[in-house]
Amino acid sequence: MHYPIIHLDFPEYGRPGEAARHRRRLATVARLADGMVVSSAETGTAVSRYLPRVLPIHVAPLGVSLPIGGVTSEAMVRPYFLCVGTIEPRKNHLLLQYLWRRLVELRGNLAPRLLIVGSRGWENENVLDLLDRCTALMGHVVELGAVSDIRLAALLRSARALLMPSFAEGFGLPIAKALSQGSPVICSDLAALRAVGQGVPEYLDPLCASAWRDAVQPYTAPAPPRRDAQLARMPDWRRVTWQEHVASAVAFAEGLPARKRVGVSAPTARAAAQPDEGWVLAR
């Protein structure tokens, strides 16, 4: 089971009722689970605050299995940046949309494009209004929706950088996918994103629009020093495979001492012993 602790720490970013639903899920976890597997130390620290009892917690970063990207026709139009993730408030698409409006005002058709990959989510009326109705951004900010892994790999490989100005993240899988393709990353300065980026990306305050403007604009130059410096750091980044992730999680689960469950019927106890209920993957 995947458990987004973000809905408890930041209920304002989720649908109404999500926080209460996840509290009930955590109560079930505390009653039935022998341990938890989390994708980052940040998530482990956060989730432990909401558990009514102490559970063993194991950090197993998520794996990356994208194919190596090929050539995409998008790069032939003009340079572009990529934003990957569900369109929801905590992803902070608004910052990028306002930034791009300014870039277009200054540079017109010489401005880079912003390609947005991801399905439309919730509580995002302002972002969708700009996507659907802002004539200044049409042709400059392009919503691609959900794409295949092959298409995503190609988009990442040709991008000037992946942009991820999130307010909160439990792991940051798009960063791992970008770095696995050799694509630079500019992202929020969050503990979980620092863990997955391993010192390679540029980390910025998600509330500081001027810092994002000053980072994005140089990346479009023919030989941008900041982008080249990040590419020079790229060989130090280590990709985690899904095989490593699963092996780590399974080894942890197998090492957990089983506990006697009081007040649980026999069928429920048997179900709780199954891997998808006996331990929990939290994101």
Side-chain angles (χ1 to χ4, degrees):
M1 181 173 77
H2 295 274
Y3 181 78
I5 199 68
I6 290 171
H7 288 295
L8 293 181
D9 280 347
F10 303 96
E12 66 272 23
Y13 296 140
R15 299 182 182 93
E18 282 294 309
R21 185 177 300 113
H22 291 310
R23 284 192 180 90
R24 292 194 298 271
R25 288 175 175 170
L26 270 188
T28 301
V29 167
R31 183 167 59 90
L32 298 179
D34 297 313
M36 297 186 72
V37 175
V38 298
S39 56
S40 69
E42 178 78 359
T43 296
T45 300
V47 76
S48 64
R49 297 197 302 267
Y50 294 97
L51 289 172
R53 70 178 183 87
V54 176
L55 275 179
I57 294 177
H58 175 67
V59 177
L62 301 180
V64 180
S65 58
L66 279 183
I68 297 299
V71 177
T72 174
S73 60
E74 300 291 351
M76 307 298 181
V77 180
R78 65 179 189 262
Y80 68 86
F81 291 79
L82 200 62
C83 178
V84 178
T86 302
I87 301 175
E88 55 166 305
R90 71 179 175 89
K91 297 293 186 179
N92 201 15
H93 289 80
L94 272 178
L95 178 142
L96 297 180
Q97 289 172 306
Y98 289 141
L99 168 57
W100 246 259
R101 184 161 189 162
R102 182 60 176 158
L103 290 176
V104 172
E105 288 175 355
L106 294 173
R107 303 183 61 187
N109 288 333
L110 295 178
R113 293 199 300 166
L114 173 65
L115 307 185
I116 298 177
V117 171
S119 302
R120 295 189 175 193
W122 48 88
E123 307 292 331
N124 53 18
E125 182 180 357
N126 291 343
V127 173
L128 300 186
D129 283 345
L130 286 168
L131 288 173
D132 294 338
R133 296 161 44 199
C134 181
T135 56
L137 294 179
M138 290 182 179
H140 302 287
V141 175
V142 181
E143 182 185 6
L144 299 180
V147 302
S148 68
D149 282 351
I150 293 176
R151 172 95 164 116
L152 178 58
L155 288 168
L156 286 168
R157 198 158 185 82
S158 298
R160 302 304 294 170
L162 172 79
L163 305 179
M164 196 169 180
S166 303
F167 291 122
E169 289 289 346
F171 181 69
L173 191 56
I175 292 176
K177 290 180 177 181
L179 295 177
S180 74
Q181 297 296 320
S183 178
V185 174
I186 305 173
C187 63
S188 295
D189 192 359
L190 303 175
L193 301 189
R194 282 190 173 274
V196 69
Q198 303 171 23
V200 175
E202 291 199 43
Y203 298 99
L204 305 176
D205 184 339
L207 291 174
C208 187
S210 61
W212 286 83
R213 178 200 62 211
D214 293 344
V216 165
Q217 290 193 102
Y219 271 59
T220 61
R226 288 175 66 166
R227 188 176 191 272
D228 288 345
Q230 186 171 163
L231 291 174
R233 298 192 296 269
M234 201 82 68
D236 296 331
W237 184 79
R238 181 184 176 278
R239 178 175 73 97
V240 176
T241 67
W242 278 113
Q243 290 81 0
E244 290 172 322
H245 168 79
V246 172
S248 176
V250 170
F252 167 72
E254 291 177 341
L256 289 172
R259 64 186 177 88
K260 184 178 180 180
R261 295 174 175 81
V262 179
V264 180
S265 63
T268 304
R270 285 197 296 273
Q274 298 301 316
D276 61 344
E277 293 292 341
W279 51 277
V280 175
L281 175 61
R283 294 180 62 184

